[in-house]
Amino acid sequence: MSARDFLKKTEKQRMKELFELLRIPSVSAKSEHKKDCAACARWLADHLKRIGFKARIYPTGGHPVVYAEYLVDPRLPTALYYGHYDVQPPEPLELWKTGPFDPVVRSGYIYARGATDDKGQTLAQVKGVEAVIKATGTLPINVKFMIEGEEEVASAHLPGWMKKNKKLLKADICIVSDTGQFNKKTPAVTYGLRGIASSEVFVYGPDHDVHSGTFGGTIANPVNTLCWMVGQLHDKNGRVAIPGFYKRTKPVSKWERTQFRKLPFDEAAFKKSLGVSRLQGEKGYSTLERAWCRPTLDVNGIKGGYQGEGAKTIIPSMASCKITMRLVPDMEPGEALNLLEKYLKKIAPKTVRVKVDKHGGASGVVVPTEGPWLAAAARAIKAGFGKDPVFMKEGGSIPVVADFKKILGLDTLLIGFGQADDNVHSPNERFRVMDFERGCRTAAALPDELAKAGR
Ligand code: BES
Ligand code: ZN
């Protein structure tokens, strides 16, 4: 029996297992889900053990890391697979057609939080490897799995754990399935990710809410002021107005411009999928260039004052917002956050007090677009999808990829099975059943291809 046949035979069972995993509400951002995160780690470790791996759960200062290995022969190449079992918060709940943690299949899609990001994709890699073991009794390479529970909150504890466990993680190449295909007809290898820097900005006015009639016109309103400040973050050409923001940004190379133009990007379909009639962004760049090669800044949420039923006439005492910046390689989160803080404090009127909390971040990366490992990934995708992949970048971030290079000196193959319309981080997240299947097939073809590449 081939690995492919094994997958075919076990389709129902695999779906059942994915559902089990999706039922665990492993929301890393919320402390009330700490136990669920631990349960998810246990599920994965048990599962990997049943497949024949030596697996262990490592506590960290946050949610645990699952590490598992199947070592065949030290002379064979070693692949370090990464995935994350944590998910984004499911809110707003009222917009889900079915419960975020009650997985169902509707019209060829598995609906649940984490279906694509990243439980479905991680399990596809696990099940692909299992199929090879079941079909051949062994693996043609050494395989290590490192599955963490804090990716969606910027992987704060993972780099420290990796530094302590460098020996354990010794490998030749890293494999990550936490990205997407280019579109429904075009699989992809991703060669670049943006980094991220997160912050929260507070604007303080009077030390308590005050009557807007009595005091309106006499003091600064923190909500008005914060909104004005946010308005100063971009210029009229859509460029971020913070001095020095672009100083480390390299121009889009000729090679990339040509590559991107060749991609079958359908701008009309893109707009339609988002429900917008026009696109907006930095002048002088194409849509894909803006999303993949340019740093950006966005307010993720803003609050202040009264939002309940009816009217309340106050000048609120404070306002706040969360801001993230997407970074290009060489732009470090700390530096970007310092620039943001300096600029906001400079433009703030003297009538308010401004505080900027600088949270974590992650660096952007570009991985090689040539070489034997990449060719191996392309061949595995061809086997799984029946089609050659294109090369693309992603605007999103996966913190560990820069750390693989910095801490372990390793390159990463980003082999994504998702789709842009999988509603990742949003209500009704989904994963196409067909993409799960193709993902498993690609994963089953990968070990052989990596073995060839590493010879
Ligand atoms: N799977 C995503 C990264 C991603 C997003 C890949 C979009 C392809 C397309 C990952 O789980 C993620 O969401 N990362 C966070 C990281 C952050 C919280 C540090 C992100 O990009 O917001
Ligand atoms: Zn995510």
Side-chain angles (χ1 to χ4, degrees), residues 1-43:
M1 185 183 44
S2 70
R4 267 298 254 273
D5 292 336
F6 178 81
L7 286 175
K8 214 176 272 163
K9 218 179 68 189
T10 53
E11 197 178 332
K12 267 207 189 116
Q13 175 66 16
R14 257 181 298 126
M15 195 70 108
K16 205 185 115 215
E17 286 163 353
L18 175 56
F19 274 35
E20 273 177 39
L21 193 56
L22 291 171
R23 279 195 198 101
I24 309 172
S26 47
V27 181
S28 51
K30 295 189 176 174
S31 45
E32 69 197 73
H33 289 296
K34 199 171 161 54
K35 278 202 180 120
D36 300 312
C37 290
C40 218
R42 245 179 287 124
W43 191 96

Side-chain angles (χ1 to χ4, degrees), residues 6 79 166 234 238 358 406 411 416:
F6 178 81
K166 269 193 198 171
H234 290 89
K358 292 176 266 184
K406 279 186 215 158
D411 285 322

